[in-house]
Amino acid sequence: MAKALSNYKPRPAQLAMAHAIQRLLNTSRGRLMIEAGTGTGKSLAYLLTTLNANQKILVSTATKTLQDQLFQKDIPLALKILGVQKNVVLMKGRANYLCLLKAEQFNPTAELIDGQENKRIDAVRSWIKKTETGDRAELTVLPEDSPWWNDLNASADTCLGSSCPLYADCFVTRLRKSAQGAEVLVVNHSLLCADHRSDEPFGRILPKVDVWILDEAHTLEDVATKAFGMEITGRQMRYLARDLRQISPLIAQTSQTQFLEACEAILPLFTSIADHWEKQEIAGFVQELQPKLAFLEICLTSAKQELLSRRLHKISTELNFMLSPKTEHSGFVIFSERDSRGQVLSAAPIEPSEVLKNTLWAADNPIALTSATLALNRRLEPIQSRMGLSCEGLILEPPFDSLNQAALYTPANPMDLESEIKRLIDLSQGGTFVLFTSYRAMNSTYEALKHTLENQGLLVLKQGDAPKLELIARFVEADKTFGAVLFATHSFWEGVDVQGKTLRMVIIDRLPFKSPEDPIHKARCQLMESRRENSFFGLSLPQAALSLKQGVGRLLRTDTDRGAVAILDPRIIQKGYGRLFMEALPPMTRVDQFEKLKEFWGDGWA
């Protein structure tokens, strides 16, 4: 490392982590959990050790953005240091890849686009002709919630499998073949969990490897909850109804009228079920919908429409599961929400620990889990328990002098939120993340301060206005000249690495407790209370403390960084439980008055 890296410094914690990984490799089914603080260099610690041992490895991380970072930056650097070459394959879920058959038929309907989308569609058509991977990450012009990517992606619902005329050239087919020969496979937690679902229609797609490294492991609990659950969306039903109408001429004439009537009815009936879920006034809608789904499935089978029949059967099966009285006693919570996909009806395991025991932890290979935020009060047992895992643990301190590098500003009686944020930004002159616990607070504060800050010459950015990586690039570039401020919510609390003076202030509006009305969190709390356990101290508080630790961790990324974190929620000072939040954070110079913060700030970052 010293020969390959000009800025190399020995890091005892990095070496300790490498030794722990080495010991794990000498076991057949060992399990190891490591909290390695920011700045440890954990990715190089596990990569250099496993690659040097000539192990075939699977590295799984939390997001597609972090996958790209591993694939494009961390792994090439590790291979350069070792002076070796390895076959490295990046693999995401099927829905991230272009379907060649759909691409041939691509013709977005007017109901799904508007005039502003035409340029994007032209860019997509150009991309289709030249892409070598089919990975939608290459499509920087395409918003994450694009309504017509479903018309192009290779999702399992619409895949013909080996009967597809373009099967041999399919990006997913080629990727699976590449994965079989990979020496290093980079995936995400969602794909890893989905690959272990018993109902995966195409069977296992990830090959057997020598060792798994699960990075950003603190996210695994929530990812597994979603991945091992199920959901039916309004958008999914809309596309199904559209595709059913399109094949109606192939249905026997004696059934066509009834078939079309059923097609037109399924979407509004599903919407009615989802809309009335909380009120439980759904019996009539269910009684009307289920026979229509059964009739449609019979017609599709008779017409030999195997693919549509499979999609319809899956939806029908999942809906029956959600509606069954037995489901509420099977460890699942059923709930309905609305998002960009319309109304969404979901079923999720209340405790993912049992399903993880029977899936990921049953693997016949060593597994290392690591993150900068796993322990609470130097204990790993709480998160291990929630994950259904009992294993060796190691906690490594970050190699920073955080007490002198950073101030923690916690005003006991802050000004109103907008005024407090404004004077903090005036102090930092840009280089600031303003992190919120809700979109509503983010949007209202952004609108209130945007023009004032722009008039001061600052670039003002907001999450959602552009893809995450593009926002970070704009933030970094702007701060070289006139300063930048980014308003953001949960997706910027973690997985963001902005080093040096560019990020010198992190402002957090409130302690990140999960909403008590969040359906999954609510169900977990109720389950704990039924066991006579305190859900606040046993669940809500530990989760919030780890989230705060993640947000605060955005500030210090190297041992030369300097700056301040401002937590503008007086509960951290006024409530008894505030002590637990403080203990979860790295030691910083604590100040409770703005004038004292100005003294700490001095000239260093001005």
Side-chain angles (χ1 to χ4, degrees):
M1 289 177 71
K3 292 178 181 177
L5 303 175
S6 60
N7 61 343
Y8 171 77
K9 293 182 181 179
R11 298 175 181 178
Q14 188 178 48
L15 188 58
M17 180 171 178
H19 283 159
I21 297 290
Q22 182 64 56
R23 291 192 297 271
L24 177 73
L25 299 181
N26 294 330
T27 70
S28 59
R29 297 184 74 250
R31 306 291 186 255
L32 171 65
M33 179 175 281
I34 306 174
E35 177 177 277
T38 302
T40 301
K42 58 186 172 69
S43 58
L44 282 181
Y46 65 68
L47 286 170
L48 290 172
T49 308
T50 50
L51 293 172
N52 193 51
N54 203 28
Q55 297 280 322
K56 184 172 182 177
I57 67 171
L58 178 147
V59 182
S60 181
T61 190
T63 66
K64 290 173 281 188
T65 301
L66 291 172
Q67 273 185 275
D68 291 334
Q69 179 178 309
L70 278 164
F71 183 72
Q72 297 169 11
K73 179 183 174 184
D74 298 340
I75 294 174
L77 176 58
L79 294 174
K80 175 187 173 184
I81 290 169
L82 292 172
V84 298
Q85 293 184 335
K86 298 281 185 180
N87 180 11
V88 184
V89 174
L90 175 69
M91 197 171 194
K92 303 174 185 176
R94 304 175 53 100
N96 291 282
Y97 297 97
L98 175 71
C99 170
L100 293 172
L101 188 62
K102 287 183 178 180
E104 286 188 351
Q105 305 162 351
F106 181 51
N107 184 27
T109 57
E111 69 187 58
L112 295 178
I113 64 172
D114 55 36
Q116 296 180 346
E117 290 284 275
N118 288 329
K119 288 185 179 179
R120 285 184 178 141
I121 291 172
D122 290 340
V124 171
R125 287 196 169 112
S126 175
W127 170 76
I128 287 172
K129 295 176 183 177
K130 63 185 182 184
T131 181
E132 296 182 359
T133 67
D135 186 349
R136 72 162 290 174
E138 299 173 346
L139 275 173
T140 55
V141 299
L142 196 66
E144 290 186 2
D145 59 351
S146 170
W148 43 266
W149 175 248
N150 276 358
D151 283 345
L152 285 170
N153 71 22
S155 67
D157 282 351
T158 55
C159 180
L160 294 171
S162 57
S163 61
C164 175
L166 300 176
Y167 178 75
D169 296 322
C170 169
F171 290 115
V172 174
T173 301
R174 287 155 50 189
L175 189 63
R176 283 181 172 178
K177 289 180 180 177
S178 297
Q180 295 301 318
E183 295 167 280
V184 183
L185 188 61
V186 183
V187 304
N188 57 56
H189 300 336
S190 293
L191 175 58
L192 182 63
C193 290
D195 193 55
H196 285 74
R197 283 186 61 132
S198 59
D199 60 348
E200 169 59 39
F202 299 99
R204 298 286 294 275
I205 60 174
L206 299 179
K208 182 170 177 54
V209 298
D210 296 317
V211 61
W212 290 354
I213 307 291
L214 308 186
D215 207 340
E216 299 296 312
H218 66 279
T219 66
L220 189 59
E221 181 184 7
D222 286 341
V223 172
T225 299
K226 184 176 178 64
F228 290 108
M230 58 186 69
E231 61 181 21
I232 306 172
T233 72
R235 180 185 293 175
Q236 185 181 3
M237 294 296 289
R238 186 166 70 249
Y239 277 101
L240 177 65
R242 181 198 64 183
D243 294 346
L244 287 170
R245 286 193 294 269
Q246 288 177 348
I247 62 96
S248 61
L250 302 178
I251 303 301
Q253 288 187 351
T254 54
S255 302
Q256 271 187 11
T257 300
Q258 193 176 354
F259 183 86
L260 281 169
E261 288 176 352
C263 291
E264 296 301 322
I266 60 171
L267 179 58
L269 285 170
F270 167 77
T271 303
S272 296
I273 290 173
D275 280 341
H276 290 78
W277 186 264
E278 291 299 324
K279 301 175 185 175
Q280 293 294 307
E281 299 173 357
I282 59 174
F285 303 118
V286 171
Q287 289 175 1
E288 193 173 349
L289 177 61
Q290 286 180 324
K292 293 186 186 302
L293 290 175
F295 172 73
L296 288 168
E297 196 171 339
I298 291 170
C299 292
L300 292 173
T301 303
S302 299
K304 299 183 178 179
Q305 295 294 313
E306 296 170 357
L307 182 61
L308 266 176
S309 179
R310 189 177 73 206
R311 284 169 63 190
L312 190 69
H313 180 74
K314 181 175 182 289
I315 287 175
S316 181
T317 301
E318 291 181 347
L319 191 60
N320 285 334
F321 174 81
M322 294 179 191
L323 297 171
S324 170
K326 297 179 181 178
T327 301
E328 63 180 277
H329 303 296
S330 63
F332 278 75
V333 57
I334 317 297
F335 56 97
S336 179
E337 295 180 310
R338 180 175 290 278
D339 62 18
S340 61
R341 300 167 297 172
Q343 203 70 29
V344 182
L345 194 59
S346 303
I350 299 174
E351 293 182 302
S353 55
E354 286 303 314
V355 72
L356 283 170
K357 283 180 186 177
N358 297 324
T359 53
L360 301 194
W361 312 147
D364 291 324
N365 51 259
I367 302 173
L369 301 91
T370 185
S371 169
T373 50
L374 290 167
L376 191 61
N377 297 335
R378 302 194 58 79
R379 294 180 64 243
L380 291 168
E381 290 83 1
I383 196 165
Q384 288 184 1
S385 176
R386 297 202 305 272
M387 288 187 184
L389 181 65
S390 177
C391 67
E392 180 187 352
L394 178 64
I395 300 173
L396 302 171
E397 298 296 339
F400 300 150
D401 181 12
S402 55
L403 190 63
N404 292 310
Q405 287 178 248
L408 176 60
Y409 174 53
T410 54
N413 296 293
M415 303 168 65
D416 67 88
L417 185 63
E418 293 165 12
S419 300
E420 195 72 62
I421 290 173
K422 172 65 168 56
R423 70 173 178 173
L424 286 165
I425 294 173
D426 288 344
L427 176 63
S428 67
Q429 290 296 295
T432 299
F433 278 5
V434 190
L435 302 179
F436 296 87
T437 54
S438 74
Y439 285 94
R440 178 183 296 176
M442 176 188 73
N443 289 327
S444 64
T445 310
Y446 169 81
E447 293 298 335
L449 296 178
K450 179 177 185 291
H451 296 301
T452 302
L453 297 176
E454 287 177 339
N455 288 339
Q456 294 175 209
L458 298 172
L459 175 67
V460 184
L461 303 167
K462 178 169 70 73
Q463 176 183 327
D465 289 347
K468 186 174 182 177
L469 290 180
E470 185 178 337
L471 284 175
I472 293 295
R474 288 187 201 171
F475 181 90
V476 171
E477 188 60 32
D479 208 72
K480 294 176 182 176
T481 52
F482 45 83
V485 179
L486 172 65
F487 291 76
T489 60
H490 297 95
S491 64
F492 281 81
W493 284 65
E494 57 187 72
V496 176
D497 187 13
V498 180
Q499 299 181 3
K501 184 177 178 179
T502 302
L503 180 58
R504 49 195 177 270
M505 176 81 76
V506 173
I507 303 171
I508 294 173
D509 74 327
R510 291 179 62 79
L511 297 176
F513 286 107
K514 288 195 174 183
S515 166
E517 295 307 312
D518 175 270
I520 297 173
H521 183 71
K522 186 176 181 179
R524 286 175 178 163
C525 289
Q526 289 174 342
L527 182 61
M528 290 186 71
E529 296 293 339
S530 72
R531 296 170 177 166
R532 300 182 182 278
E533 299 173 13
N534 188 306
S535 61
F536 180 76
F537 285 98
L539 182 64
S540 301
L541 187 58
Q543 287 183 337
L546 287 179
S547 293
L548 184 67
K549 192 175 177 180
Q550 278 285 337
V552 169
R554 296 316 94 211
L555 182 69
L556 298 183
R557 311 301 295 177
T558 73
D559 56 8
T560 59
D561 286 4
R562 184 170 178 269
V565 173
I567 300 174
L568 304 183
D569 189 336
R571 290 179 295 179
I572 198 167
I573 298 297
Q574 298 170 356
K575 297 291 186 181
Y577 58 74
R579 170 181 58 84
L580 298 175
F581 282 99
M582 289 294 194
E583 290 173 352
L585 302 179
M588 294 177 276
T589 299
R590 288 183 57 182
V591 293
D592 57 6
Q593 297 176 19
F594 187 74
E595 291 304 316
K596 291 182 180 179
L597 177 62
K598 288 173 68 176
E599 289 177 16
F600 176 90
W601 197 266
D603 301 326
W605 291 109

